[in-house]
Amino acid sequence: MWRGAAIGSAEPPVLQVLKLSQVVERGGAFEIEGELGASLAAIAEALRDHGYIRAWRNEQLAVRDASGTLLATVERGAVRLLGIATQAVHLLGFSADGDHWVQQRSYDKPDDPGLWDTLMGGMVGASESVQDTLERETWEEAGLKLSQLESLVPGGEVVTRRPSANVPHGYVDEKLVFYRCVLPEGVEPSNMDGEVAQFRRMSPAEVRERLERLEFTIDASLMLVQP
């Protein structure tokens, strides 16, 4: 909590670290005292010093209250440990005849290495809009400009809340905003940032088989099964 607003949750081992820094237990809740941004920065550093943060990203994500008001920002590597709600944008790519364009995540990524994923996916930074992230990540991950895509339309939103499979004691609370598009014949993705092992064009039947074998990330699976 911060000034009466609930901003996250944490498991007992993480709370033990928080008690050593900027957090006090009061009335059954844990209250962050002081200016929120500075307090969260100190908490993130304490979590890193105690070995809980595996990958320090030097990226700031937004911290909002239940109404969506921006309260502060926090290091990306700390959000799962603090159960802070995040937002990500994904792009579901298709060929003109209905095949899926998907990526296989790099084997050295800290989250879901080697699993299949949507054509593009990335977290929305504190200073970005969803559209900003869509444009930036489509270029960085797939080497594509939005102007090269056809039939680019919003696909919907999915909210996922679950224990993190990648961060011990972490919790995922994320809104996934996704778009659909068609890659014209002759336009193919090409990774620019080293975070993709390969791109592949898959038939709907192959995608379904790989979903059943749990070869896709949880997030990609949630979006790919949407009508």
Side-chain angles (χ1 to χ4, degrees), residues 63-216:
V63 180
R64 302 180 185 274
D65 63 16
S67 69
T69 301
L70 178 65
L71 304 177
T73 67
V74 65
E75 156 64 30
R76 175 174 170 174
V79 292
R80 301 298 187 227
L81 291 165
L82 300 177
I84 291 172
T86 54
Q87 188 175 37
V89 61
H90 284 254
L91 184 60
L92 277 60
F94 299 89
S95 66
D97 57 1
D99 284 349
H100 293 259
W101 274 107
V102 296
Q103 63 158 279
Q104 185 180 36
R105 295 166 66 85
S106 171
Y107 285 92
D108 58 7
K109 284 185 72 70
D111 299 334
D112 299 323
L115 291 184
W116 292 97
D117 206 342
T118 57
L119 174 63
M120 178 284 293
M123 298 185 78
V124 179
S127 61
E128 289 184 316
S129 67
V130 169
Q131 189 68 24
D132 291 336
T133 306
L134 175 66
E135 184 170 5
R136 175 179 57 79
E137 290 282 355
T138 299
W139 172 252
E140 291 179 359
E141 285 201 358
L144 297 170
K145 299 290 188 181
L146 298 186
S147 58
Q148 295 177 268
L149 308 176
E150 296 179 350
S151 304
L152 178 63
V153 295
E157 298 179 358
V158 177
V159 175
T160 177
R161 297 186 176 98
R162 64 183 191 272
S164 172
N166 302 297
V167 180
H169 308 298
Y171 192 78
V172 177
D173 183 349
E174 188 159 83
K175 180 166 72 172
L176 307 168
V177 180
F178 64 97
Y179 290 76
R180 292 187 171 97
C181 73
V182 172
L183 276 64
E185 196 66 34
V187 174
E188 296 189 3
S190 177
N191 181 238
M192 308 294 285
D193 62 8
E195 295 188 359
V196 177
Q198 63 170 313
F199 290 97
R200 184 165 172 178
R201 181 169 161 172
M202 290 186 187
S203 69
E206 182 179 359
V207 169
R208 183 170 59 251
E209 291 171 0
R210 290 181 181 274
L211 284 169
E212 292 173 350
R213 295 200 298 265
L214 306 181
E215 295 180 12
F216 276 86

Side-chain angles (χ1 to χ4, degrees), residues 14-99:
V14 176
L15 289 172
Q16 294 305 313
V17 177
L18 269 59
K19 289 178 183 178
L20 300 175
S21 50
Q22 308 291 317
V23 177
V24 296
E25 188 172 2
R26 185 181 295 120
F30 291 85
E31 293 275 352
I32 294 178
E33 297 187 325
E35 194 274 324
L36 183 57
S39 296
L40 287 172
I43 288 169
E45 291 176 0
L47 290 170
R48 179 182 60 185
D49 293 345
H50 282 78
Y52 284 94
I53 295 180
R54 298 180 302 166
W56 189 270
R57 305 296 291 267
N58 286 318
E59 297 176 31
Q60 292 291 305
L61 300 185
V63 180
R64 302 180 185 274
D65 63 16
S67 69
T69 301
L70 178 65
L71 304 177
T73 67
V74 65
E75 156 64 30
R76 175 174 170 174
V79 292
R80 301 298 187 227
L81 291 165
L82 300 177
I84 291 172
T86 54
Q87 188 175 37
V89 61
H90 284 254
L91 184 60
L92 277 60
F94 299 89
S95 66
D97 57 1
D99 284 349

